[in-house]
Amino acid sequence: MTTTAATTKLPLRSEVPAEDCWDLSSLYENDEGWQADFDKVAGQIDRFETYQGRLGESVDTLLEFLTFDLEVDRVAERLGTYAFLRTSEDQGDSDHQARKLRFQNLVMKASQAASFVRPELLAIEPETMDKFLADPKLADFKLQLERIVRYRPHTLTDREERLLAMQGEMSGAAGNAFRQLNDADLKFGELTDENGRTIELSHATFSQFLQSPKREIRKAAFDQYYDVFDNHRNTLAATLAGSIQRDVYYARARNYESSLEASLFPDNVPTTVYDNLISAVRDSLPAVHHYLDVRRRKMGLTDLHHYDTYVPILSDVKKHHTWDQAVEVILESLAPLGSEYVGTLESGLRGRWSDRYPNRGKQSGAFSCGSFDGDPFILMNFKEEVLNDVFTLAHEAGHSMHSWYSASHQPFQYYNYTIFVAEVASTFNEQLLTAHLLEKATDDTERAYLINNELDGLRATVVRQTMFAEFEKRTHEMAEAGEPLTVASMRAAYRELLDAYFGPEFVVDEALELECFRIPHFYRAFYVYKYATGLSAAVALSRRVLGGGEAELNDYLDFLRGGCSQDPLDLLKGAGVDMTQPAAVKTTLDHFADLTKQLDELI
């Protein structure tokens, strides 16, 4: 950040030192290289037509097509990753936006050209398809084909599939509108922090203000932030409703019983896993309410508001990490995963896998974006005074190493692991980081600080994300039942959840109801529950690895190497945890309750 007089402002992208930015040369050296591959893929789209009506004629023809399709997909992934990452650097850069839109248009054309593939494959007589699958020539594509056959009840005619493919760009309009409004157009003004600095309030700095030890600053940030969302509540409600209606439309068009079933179908995850998660968390809400009461008492407050739940209870404990210090402590904590894991990650984090700090127009939050041919990149908005950002970096590093292992050990068609298992690898790293820091704690105050941080992490990832998951389920059920999705109806649904999850002694400010309109993940419905199931699995697996030996470690590394070569629930069973049962979620929430008791005794 640059400082002028008493005001601190985010730098322009052009002002950020190169060493703090990711190096995308593993994808493309420059935009010209991207354009060359773009033209290559664009020139291959017409070739899809040459296979139409022929996929069932012989094994050799099918193999030839699948090989061609794979080659196009591989280059397209590279193109899309580069376009996405460049746009993420600066949402306001029109050249980056244009490149991304051109790629999306290319994908739409390719999808239209290939829309015949699934219906044609599913039209092959089952006996013939069984013979194809038994042929050694198709061994590399057997699982891919079997997964397509699963979709037989949900695949339409050639013409209908083509019409759905033509809607691709249009169907993303609600999400695109939200992202432009949320990431580029919304302005939140400035605030003065506890040190007298005037800082621009943004998505990136909001969490920083909420961790201020001064309550009046936390409240001011909360009020000022949500005032902006209140001023745009009708637009935001319309975009969210549009996204939900899209999900319902596609689920019905493809003959699913619900949009939830449609979303879980690709992972072969039964809806009972989703429902078991909500039930298990609901059953444990008294423990969450107890923790919030402990927080209120230890902070010396007569009442507790949402803006009081992010600041450490022991606010006088300072935890400051430069980027290099954060990397060092993360690498130390991950030592149980072996030299290959740690050495590879060190090279990436000390090198230029990551785009480190906030800049004007940069996408908010953090993510990992791996691809088969490029480095597994990490976007951060790292702030040295926020301990949670060290955990965020460890989290995203887990995603990136998962990408690295799967791309190193699987062919392209089976390397890209699902989100369901991705959240295991990321939160597993957070568990190891917490264990390491607790082991190194020098006194009860530091230990209490870290336990508090772990509790807040569990609450945010298991409890909060489950609340989000329940909101998604409720709003989609409202749409499926023909109930209107309005500002009032969605706020009312969210308010009921806030009251239940935070408990009767918690003060739910009316403005907090607007939170349901600002969550980017809601535009990828039924995604957030995977954070909760992922952390629950990670708690179980981290204990297994730390308490085990070489066999347990290899089970976990095999899980990372597995990509999507098995269904996610089977990959997790191989690693040592069965997520079809609620045991892992209950164990995690019991762990939450035990930590709350420890915290209450320590301070």
Side-chain angles (χ1 to χ4, degrees):
M1 293 184 183
T2 57
T3 303
T4 305
T7 302
T8 301
K9 291 186 177 293
L10 295 174
L12 298 172
R13 180 67 184 182
S14 59
E15 298 171 339
V16 180
E19 60 269 22
D20 292 335
C21 302
W22 47 34
D23 175 11
L24 302 183
S25 61
S26 62
L27 291 168
Y28 293 103
E29 291 286 347
N30 48 47
D31 295 346
E32 289 73 22
W34 184 90
Q35 184 63 49
D37 266 357
F38 181 91
D39 293 339
K40 177 182 176 181
V41 172
Q44 291 177 315
I45 290 177
D46 288 344
R47 188 177 166 189
F48 280 99
E49 187 178 356
T50 67
Y51 290 100
Q52 189 165 3
R54 300 177 52 217
L55 299 184
E57 69 181 21
S58 70
V59 167
D60 289 337
T61 300
L62 182 55
L63 176 61
E64 181 183 309
F65 169 76
L66 292 172
T67 303
F68 159 71
D69 185 58
L70 182 149
E71 291 170 352
V72 172
D73 281 350
R74 183 169 170 177
V75 178
E77 182 197 59
R78 196 171 181 176
L79 288 168
T81 301
Y82 183 84
F84 169 69
L85 294 176
R86 292 287 279 160
T87 304
S88 301
E89 298 171 1
D90 186 352
Q91 301 273 351
D93 189 301
S94 58
D95 289 339
H96 297 341
Q97 288 290 343
R99 184 183 299 108
K100 182 180 176 182
L101 290 172
R102 288 177 61 220
F103 172 74
Q104 290 174 341
N105 186 55
L106 181 71
V107 170
M108 182 187 67
K109 290 179 179 178
S111 296
Q112 291 174 14
S115 62
F116 70 91
V117 174
R118 181 162 290 180
E120 192 167 314
L121 287 173
L122 293 177
I124 297 173
E125 291 295 329
E127 290 183 3
T128 303
M129 178 59 77
D130 288 343
K131 291 179 181 178
F132 283 4
L133 292 173
D135 195 303
K137 292 181 181 179
L138 289 174
D140 290 343
F141 297 98
K142 181 178 180 180
L143 179 58
Q144 182 180 349
L145 290 168
E146 288 175 340
R147 286 173 171 165
I148 291 173
V149 171
R150 281 188 66 233
Y151 283 85
R152 191 182 298 277
H154 308 293
T155 302
L156 310 180
T157 66
D158 188 1
R159 177 174 173 77
E160 290 169 333
E161 287 293 335
R162 186 173 181 81
L163 287 172
L164 289 181
M166 289 171 65
Q167 298 171 14
E169 191 169 355
M170 179 180 64
S171 72
N176 287 334
F178 169 77
R179 283 188 292 274
Q180 289 300 310
L181 178 63
N182 192 55
D183 292 332
D185 292 344
L186 293 186
K187 305 299 178 187
F188 301 92
E190 298 176 341
L191 275 177
T192 302
D193 70 4
E194 63 272 12
N195 298 313
R197 299 177 300 171
T198 301
I199 299 175
E200 183 177 353
L201 178 60
S202 66
H203 298 304
T205 61
F206 181 52
S207 62
Q208 179 180 335
F209 280 111
L210 290 185
Q211 296 195 47
S212 171
K214 292 191 175 181
R215 196 185 199 197
E216 61 269 24
I217 292 175
R218 301 197 300 269
K219 184 179 186 303
F222 178 89
D223 291 340
Q224 186 168 318
Y225 189 71
Y226 277 104
D227 276 348
V228 175
F229 285 101
D230 192 29
N231 291 335
H232 295 83
R233 62 188 181 277
N234 292 302
T235 299
L236 290 163
T239 58
L240 180 57
S243 181
I244 293 169
Q245 294 288 2
R246 176 204 61 195
D247 298 336
V248 173
Y249 166 76
Y250 280 114
R252 286 175 173 168
R254 294 196 175 281
N255 304 311
Y256 291 99
E257 291 187 6
S258 67
S259 44
L260 174 61
E261 183 194 37
S263 181
L264 271 56
F265 187 83
D267 287 336
N268 202 15
V269 171
T271 57
T272 52
V273 171
Y274 198 98
D275 293 334
N276 285 344
L277 169 68
I278 293 174
S279 296
V281 172
R282 281 274 186 169
D283 289 344
S284 297
L285 285 179
V288 178
H289 302 162
H290 178 216
Y291 165 68
L292 292 172
D293 185 61
V294 170
R295 168 176 276 278
R296 179 193 61 77
R297 288 189 283 107
K298 300 304 181 181
M299 293 178 70
L301 300 174
T302 56
D303 56 16
L304 194 70
H305 293 250
H306 187 261
Y307 49 77
D308 298 318
T309 61
Y310 290 89
V311 61
I313 293 175
L314 286 79
S315 58
D316 56 335
V317 178
K318 301 298 181 184
K319 287 292 179 182
H320 182 276
H321 293 85
T322 65
W323 178 268
D324 287 336
Q325 289 170 337
V327 170
E328 184 63 29
V329 73
I330 289 170
L331 295 174
E332 289 174 357
S333 71
L334 300 179
L337 296 181
S339 59
E340 180 184 55
Y341 189 108
V342 173
T344 302
L345 181 59
E346 179 175 17
S347 177
L349 294 183
R350 296 201 188 281
R352 292 179 61 187
W353 277 7
S354 187
D355 207 84
R356 301 180 181 181
Y357 305 112
N359 60 252
R360 211 169 303 173
K362 184 175 178 179
Q363 181 167 323
S364 60
F367 63 71
S368 169
C369 184
S371 62
F372 192 75
D373 292 303
D375 292 329
F377 296 103
I378 297 172
L379 180 138
M380 290 288 297
N381 283 280
F382 187 80
K383 297 169 290 298
E384 296 182 353
E385 63 271 34
V386 179
L387 175 62
N388 189 55
D389 281 8
V390 182
F391 281 86
T392 299
L393 180 56
H395 179 104
E396 302 305 339
H399 286 309
S400 288
M401 289 305 298
H402 197 175
S403 296
W404 185 85
Y405 269 103
S406 57
S408 299
H409 292 85
Q410 296 294 331
F412 175 77
Q413 62 269 38
Y414 300 131
Y415 100 93
N416 196 12
Y417 54 84
T418 69
I419 300 298
F420 190 96
V421 296
E423 294 309 322
V424 177
S426 55
T427 52
F428 180 99
N429 278 15
E430 292 188 70
Q431 288 298 301
L432 263 60
L433 177 58
T434 296
H436 173 73
L437 292 175
L438 281 171
E439 183 181 345
K440 297 295 183 181
T442 57
D443 55 42
D444 283 349
T445 299
E446 185 176 0
R447 190 168 292 106
Y449 181 90
L450 292 167
I451 290 174
N452 176 200
N453 186 73
E454 168 74 350
L455 281 165
D456 285 340
L458 290 169
R459 187 176 64 86
T461 304
V462 178
V463 182
R464 177 175 165 82
Q465 300 301 328
T466 300
M467 183 182 76
F468 287 169
E470 190 168 354
F471 175 75
E472 290 182 319
K473 188 171 187 284
R474 285 193 182 191
T475 50
H476 281 75
E477 287 173 347
M478 288 167 63
E480 288 162 351
E483 298 178 30
L485 294 175
T486 65
V487 172
S489 66
M490 287 190 280
R491 286 184 69 163
Y494 200 68
R495 179 60 186 240
E496 290 178 7
L497 294 172
L498 291 172
D499 289 340
Y501 278 74
F502 285 100
E505 302 303 318
F506 190 91
V507 180
V508 178
D509 295 287
E510 187 175 340
L512 190 58
E513 297 168 8
L514 298 165
E515 184 178 55
C516 68
F517 298 131
R518 76 169 187 87
I519 306 300
H521 283 317
F522 287 169
Y523 291 82
R524 299 176 62 186
F526 307 116
Y527 172 105
V528 295
Y529 88 99
K530 300 173 187 179
Y531 288 120
T533 55
L535 178 52
S536 298
V539 169
L541 291 175
S542 63
R543 292 180 175 185
R544 189 171 188 267
V545 170
L546 291 176
E550 186 175 348
E552 287 76 12
L553 173 58
N554 284 334
D555 285 344
Y556 180 70
L557 294 178
D558 282 344
F559 160 74
L560 297 183
R561 298 179 185 115
C564 63
S565 60
Q566 299 179 60
D567 288 336
L569 292 178
D570 292 331
L571 285 166
L572 288 172
K573 283 181 181 178
V577 61
D578 183 358
M579 292 306 296
T580 63
Q581 304 299 319
V585 179
K586 291 180 178 178
T587 296
T588 299
L589 293 166
D590 288 344
H591 176 54
F592 181 93
D594 290 341
L595 288 174
T596 299
K597 293 177 182 177
Q598 292 180 40
L599 182 66
D600 203 6
E601 294 170 356
L602 282 171
I603 56 176

